[in-house]
Every structure is written in C-alpha cells, then in structure tokens.
Amino acid sequence: MTPTVSVILPAYNAAETIPRALDSLLVQSLRSFEVVVVDDASTDATVDRVGSYARIDSRVALLRRADNAGAAAARNLGFAQAKGKWVALLDADDAYTPERLETLVELGESGEADIVADNLRFVSHLGETAQRPVLPAGHSLFQKPISAAAYVQGNLFLTRGFKLGYLKPIFRRRFLERHGLRQNETLRIAEDYHFCLDALLCGARFLVLAAAGYLYTQRPGSLSRSLTLEDLRQLSTANRLDLLRATPQGGADLRAALSKRQISVDLNVKFVQFIEAVKGRRVGDAGAIFASNPDLTPYLAFYGLQSLRKRLPGGNRIV
C-alpha cells in the first residue's frame, strides 16, 4: 500500500539524537507513512540505533552511504527511494509534534498546495522548548500563499528576524518528479532554501500553517564558525544562477529580492573574512576589510552584543 507521506531523515553521527526524532514519528496521528533514514557514513552507533527501530516497525527503512557527502546528497538518495504522495524532511536532532503530518497533509489537499509548511518552536541543546512559536499567529505569512519574491525577501543574510529557510515543508512528490527537482549537492548550507525556491520558480503553490508542529534544535556555535568562506562562495554562485533563471520569467519584485540576497551573501563573505582576520590577530587585514566595507558596522555591533549575551549567566536560555 502506498504511504501518504515519506519522511526523509539524513543522519551523520546522530546516535545520541536520532531516537528522539524517530520516537516523534512513531507516535504520529497519521499512520500511513514511511521513514527513510539515510546514514551519511556515520562512525558512531547511528546505524545500530536506527536498526533497532527498523526491526520493530516495518515503516522504518535504513539506507547507507559509503562516503560522507553531506545532507543534500543524503536527502537526494532518500527522494529517489520515496514512495509517498508527500515527501517530508526531518533532521536527526529535531522532532515533530504528534499531529504534524496529519495537519500538513490536510492543508495540502484542501488548499491544493504543492508545498506546505508550519510554524516551529526552537529547542535549546539542553532540551528546553520555547514557550511561544517563532512566528505569531497573526503573521502575514499565514494569510496567503508565499510567492518566490516573498520567500527570497525572507531569507536575507545579516538581517534581523526569522528566516523562512528554517521552515521544514512537505512537498507533493508528483510535483517534484514532474519538474525533476533535487537538492543542490554542492551546497553545505541553505540547501533547503534553494530546493524550496527551485520549486517556487517552477510554479509551486506554497501554504504555511500557523500551528507549530516542528521542533527545531538550536546548537551552540557562532555564525562565523558555522559558515566557512567556501560555503558562502558556493552560496553566492547558486544565488547568481537563481538570478539568471528568474530574470526572463520573474517579475520585478523577484529580481529585486534576489539582488538584495546577493548583496547580503557577498557582505556575509566580507563579514566572515573580517572575523577570521580578527581571530588570527591580523589587525591590518581586519582594518582594511572594515575600511572598504563600512556597511559591516551595524552587523559587527549586533553580533558583538550577541556574543556578549551568550557569555552572561543564562544567556543560552531560550524560554
């Protein structure tokens, strides 16, 4: 029997966190689903942990990669094996609320959508769940389908506010297959954003639910450590390709949003270069970067305050 949803779960050295992710799936109110766990050449006990679930529930399947190729490659392998009408994504350190899949599928079918997402709650690495969803119930995001321009505008680097790339949508698999959509395996960051944007550029109808069904775990770590220069250069290339694709078919709003994102990505490159120079005590290099990029001033101030806050007692609490 064809499952309603295929949940793709990439995992790399996730032995400590993946039981929580799988437990949240096995208590879903929607029972018609399959879980495709793709192990990305883990060196810990991830495979053993998943195997124990697969032995007691036939809906859990394990695929293993021989080499570590990143989350996008793992997800693409999962997409190739998926049989469900809808395809959902779950990271190995995150979780779903029990009604999430049922609620998203209902909205997708009734709203004739190709992509459906919901609100989310942040969870600290200590297991503390935020009392409120990330987005308030009256947010404009829930009032109408998301356009490609609005999605890009909601994903600018070095800006305050929630980034729409954090959303974890489900996708109508027939739409993905019809347009040959897969994640960009050259990217180590923002691959979810580009995958969703690719679908929107193909004409996908994207709805977002106000209820918070995705529990997103925040791990300690600064932006400069998370984003390498190579990551950002690959991201810049991908964004330029999006701009070229959108120019003949997109409106002025989309082109303007993509141009703003390009500026934000390029500025982020300078930001990371500045941080690396400071950490390496290359005062001259840091000064030269700052002098030629005065637009960095507000961002350096903001992230400096963030770094100070994390060093204060209780600074990592999110509830």
Side-chain angles (χ1 to χ4, degrees):
M1 185 175 180
T2 301
T4 302
V5 181
S6 296
V7 181
I8 311 302
L9 201 167
Y12 175 68
N13 288 349
E16 296 302 317
T17 61
I18 202 166
R20 171 173 169 263
L22 290 171
D23 287 342
S24 78
L25 291 174
L26 299 186
V27 297
Q28 288 294 301
S29 58
L30 176 73
R31 307 304 295 168
S32 177
F33 67 86
E34 64 174 352
V35 187
V36 183
V37 180
V38 184
D39 179 72
D40 197 23
S42 294
T43 57
D44 68 354
T46 297
V47 169
D48 292 336
R49 296 280 193 280
V50 177
S52 66
Y53 281 84
R55 285 190 292 274
I56 63 175
D57 196 315
S58 61
R59 293 174 299 177
V60 179
L62 173 64
L63 302 178
R64 300 180 65 179
R65 287 190 55 90
D67 60 324
N68 177 255
R75 292 189 189 107
N76 286 342
L77 181 57
F79 290 149
Q81 298 295 318
K83 302 179 182 67
K85 186 175 182 179
W86 294 87
V87 178
L89 301 176
L90 175 61
D91 290 341
D93 55 354
D94 296 338
Y96 291 170
T97 58
E99 295 81 22
R100 183 177 195 257
L101 289 180
E102 182 178 10
T103 304
L104 291 179
V105 169
E106 286 179 354
L107 178 60
E109 297 297 351
S110 64
E112 299 182 334
D114 304 297
I115 311 173
V116 188
D118 54 0
N119 211 336
L120 51 82
R121 294 180 192 270
F122 285 137
V123 180
S124 78
H125 69 288
L126 300 176
E128 300 168 318
T129 302
Q131 295 176 352
R132 297 177 181 176
V134 171
L135 297 171
H139 196 282
S140 60
L141 192 67
F142 311 126
Q143 309 304 319
K144 60 182 179 180
I146 300 179
S147 67
Y151 186 69
V152 175
Q153 186 66 36
N155 281 286
L156 301 182
F157 278 92
L158 299 177
T159 57
R160 294 182 180 230
F162 177 72
K163 304 298 183 290
L164 299 186
Y166 281 111
L167 297 176
K168 290 290 186 178
I170 66 171
F171 299 83
R172 195 179 293 272
R173 188 167 67 89
R174 181 177 60 190
F175 184 90
L176 299 181
E177 298 301 326
R178 182 190 310 143
H179 295 283
L181 296 176
R182 292 292 185 268
Q183 293 206 343
N184 185 341
E185 297 183 14
T186 68
L187 297 176
R188 288 282 179 158
I189 56 168
E191 62 272 23
D192 285 343
Y193 157 80
H194 280 279
F195 182 59
C196 199
L197 178 59
D198 285 344
L200 287 168
L201 293 176
C202 289
R205 177 175 168 83
F206 187 178
L207 302 179
V208 182
L209 191 69
Y214 195 95
L215 304 178
Y216 186 102
T217 301
Q218 291 183 304
R219 298 288 173 187
S222 67
L223 178 68
S224 60
R225 186 175 69 184
S226 301
L227 303 182
T228 68
L229 285 175
E230 182 57 29
D231 289 336
L232 289 169
R233 289 181 179 122
Q234 292 286 355
L235 200 58
S236 179
T237 299
N239 194 79
R240 291 181 192 280
L241 291 174
D242 286 336
L243 190 53
L244 289 173
R245 289 174 56 204
T247 298
Q249 67 190 56
D253 288 348
L254 175 57
R255 294 194 296 274
L258 284 167
S259 295
K260 285 183 180 179
R261 179 171 167 85
Q262 187 66 55
I263 292 171
S264 76
V265 172
D266 291 342
L267 190 60
N268 209 354
V269 170
K270 298 300 181 183
F271 176 78
V272 173
Q273 287 176 331
F274 177 86
I275 295 299
E276 288 188 354
V278 170
K279 288 182 176 180
R281 299 184 178 182
R282 302 192 309 274
V283 178
D285 291 345
I289 293 169
F290 181 75
S292 59
N293 296 276
D295 289 344
L296 285 175
T297 302
Y299 307 117
L300 291 173
F302 173 73
Y303 285 105
L305 288 174
Q306 288 290 89
S307 179
L308 176 62
R309 182 185 64 81
K310 291 179 180 179
R311 286 167 169 77
L312 295 175
N316 283 322
R317 292 182 62 87
I318 63 170
V319 294

